[in-house]
Amino acid sequence: MRLGAELGQRAEQRLALGPRMLQCIEVLQLASADLAELVAVELESNALLEDLRPPEAEVETPPVGAGDAAPTEDVAATRRGSEDDAKLAFLQNLADPSGPSLLAHLREQLAWRDVSAELAGGVLALAELLDERGYLRADEAELRGAAGPAPLPEALALLQSLEPRGLGARSAIEALLLQVPPDDPDYPDIRLLLTEHLDALAANKLPEVARVTGRSVAEIEGLLQRIRRLDPRPGAQFIDAPSPGVRPDLVVHHEGDRVLVRVADGTIPELGINAEYAALLDADSGEADVQSYLRPRLDAARDLLWALEQRRATLLRVGQAVMDHQRDFLNAGEGAIRPLRMADVAAVVELHASTVSRAVAGKWVQTARGVFPLRSFFDGRHAAAGAEAPGRRALQSRLKELVQGEDPMRPWSDDDLAVLLARGGAHVARRTVAKYRRDLGIPSSWRRRRHRTQP
């Protein structure tokens, strides 16, 4: 055996992406809000870039809630009469601004109570220890330290008497019980159900609970109805932040057989090259150090402009292909979404499937039926289904309809639902039905069952 080093040549092909192409890929997969932030940073840092829009034209598209109905722009003249109603509906679908804080809400109530400043201060100090659900998780020593000179039992009792009821509890069960007046005739039974029979109630074993407690099934169901109206997280309505709005990246308008798609880039400034600085880069003008400073910035500005144009063109092509395929959805809703794969769209627009995936990632589309993730329109077929078989969203919609129309005394099992779907032309396995049912948040048949009650 001989050991040694040798020099040789080997030919191979590799895909090397330059900085310009990498930036184009990065810009393509950004959602509108992220892209607007990137452009703002580039405008501030690159003197060669300028916003060509006049100040009065810089109108930002308001965000809308995901799935909310929103008016479609560029509507035909025949629909002008409903514009005011559409605008009103649009405003009603905007994300709600954050309301008053929990502390402000409690402080306002204490102002109407005849309590000392010392006790009111202790209550507010305890309120600052509440977690996002409205529970007090601190130990007694910490609670006494927060209450200060105010007696802890008195401050805690006053806190628990304020609205929303249930604040200051240590657990969900205590929060629920605090919302039922102790002198309520049902209080002992509700307390019994929550503290001793919660697992059986969660399993829908109402006859068993009725037998153990000596109550009828009708009485147990009545108590359950009261419990369901209680809030196990009383502080969440004040502490939870509102969901951020969604800015659509595409707007779709359906006119007869025509599906019109446009890019909603109103939040992105119209960029251009600053002519004054560009003139300094002429061969016969400007100092060498000025040109060495401006040249890379000019190249970066041109690369960004090219990436933005490529993003816009690609997003428009992909969005148009998707909505052309899903025109039934525009007419009939989510139940009419047809099976679609990334590869199918890639073949239509003559792009690689990875490019389509990047164009779809994080993008939202505004239609007359609401605002939806663009990815939600890619609904693959089942392995045993044909090309015209319904997709996942259509099956989920049908499954929801079946459950809503079932006899609550004899709910359909997953096997029953699979048979009913098959009669409609959708042949799916029982395990697929179970998966879709769980995805929709529908309980199993034995949890959905309603027990017969004696008159």
Side-chain angles (χ1 to χ4, degrees), residues 361-380:
K363 309 302 190 301
W364 293 77
V365 84
Q366 176 182 315
T367 74
R369 294 188 173 275
V371 181
F372 301 89
L374 186 55
R375 187 177 292 277
S376 67
F377 294 102
F378 289 84
D379 200 356

Side-chain angles (χ1 to χ4, degrees), residues 9 15 119 124-125 139 157 177 242 263 272 296-297 323 347 364 409 411 425 440:
Q9 293 182 336
L15 179 61
L119 182 56
L124 294 176
D139 56 32
L177 290 174
V263 178
R297 285 161 177 77
M323 300 317 299
W364 293 77
M409 301 295 181
L440 291 169

